[in-house]
Amino acid sequence: MILLGWMLVLLLLALWSGLVWSGEALLAAVLSHAGNLGSGDWSLPAALTAWLPVPVTEWLAGTLETLTPQLQALVGTLPWLSGGVTVLAWVVWSVGALCLFGIGVAIHVGVALWRKSRNSTLQPSVIALR
């Protein structure tokens, strides 16, 4: 039973690792090519404006127009930020792995306590039969 619990934790760790590292690769690729976007047209998509009320759409368009220089500066720094994605991925992976390890320890202790309580309840009946 304990072995089954640890196998489950290892399987979840493998899935967690694959998810984190594929996300890291995707995010690093997106950020490394983000500097090639150019100035672009910083406007709201038509699909979004169709669903929003007119005052909200006007407010968002004005805010986006005001923030265009800052957004452009951010796009220029995105390739530089791609190096930090690996560090972030390691931190996220470590937190998840520690949580999974904690779950494994909890399963291990839980099964051990369950076995101990089961054995302690069986012993008095065995003693009474003697």
Side-chain angles (χ1 to χ4, degrees):
M1 187 68 124
I2 291 175
L3 182 63
L4 184 64
W6 282 111
M7 286 176 51
L8 176 66
V9 168
L10 288 176
L11 175 67
L12 289 173
L13 182 62
L15 291 172
W16 175 247
S17 298
L19 177 71
V20 169
W21 297 120
S22 60
E24 184 267 340
L26 178 67
L27 190 57
V30 166
L31 288 177
S32 66
H33 297 301
N36 301 335
L37 292 176
S39 62
D41 178 27
W42 297 97
S43 61
L44 294 173
L48 179 64
T49 58
W51 289 96
L52 292 175
V54 174
V56 174
T57 304
E58 291 172 356
W59 176 79
L60 280 175
T63 303
L64 193 59
E65 186 177 320
T66 304
L67 293 177
T68 297
Q70 289 85 1
L71 291 172
Q72 199 59 38
L74 178 66
V75 167
T77 61
L78 287 179
W80 176 77
L81 292 174
S82 68
V85 172
T86 303
V87 174
L88 178 65
W90 274 108
V91 169
V92 169
W93 180 85
S94 298
V95 168
L98 285 174
C99 288
L100 286 171
F101 180 72
I103 290 170
V105 169
I107 290 171
H108 188 97
V109 168
V111 168
L113 289 175
W114 176 71
R115 283 183 178 172
K116 184 178 179 180
S117 71
R118 194 178 82 186
N119 286 341
S120 67
T121 58
L122 289 177
Q123 287 180 357
S125 61
V126 172
I127 293 172
L129 291 176
R130 287 184 183 181

